[in-house]
Amino acid sequence: MNQDQVKGNIKDAAGKVQEKVGQVFDNRDQQAKGVEKQAEGTVQRVVGNVKDTFKR
């Protein structure tokens, strides 16, 4: 596992938490930011997967 994969997983988890907090407090802005952060995490994790594949 490389740094991009780890950072992507962290961003994804943080985005899920942020989205849930937004749901609890009925804050659509926080929900949207959480979803956006999850997407960033997914992209970063995929970039890490590609890098890992090319290293092999």
Side-chain angles (χ1 to χ4, degrees):
M1 210 170 215
N2 62 37
Q3 285 184 350
D4 284 317
Q5 291 168 320
V6 173
K7 288 179 182 179
N9 285 334
I10 291 170
K11 279 185 184 178
D12 185 48
K16 287 178 182 178
V17 170
Q18 188 172 14
E19 180 184 14
K20 290 296 179 188
V21 168
Q23 287 174 351
V24 168
F25 291 105
D26 196 30
N27 186 331
R28 293 188 187 272
D29 187 46
Q30 286 300 317
Q31 286 176 304
K33 287 180 182 179
V35 170
E36 182 180 325
K37 193 175 283 189
Q38 288 176 55
E40 288 174 13
T42 300
V43 168
Q44 190 167 11
R45 186 174 54 246
V46 168
V47 167
N49 291 344
V50 169
K51 285 181 180 180
D52 198 36
T53 299
F54 281 109
K55 279 187 177 180
R56 295 180 191 184

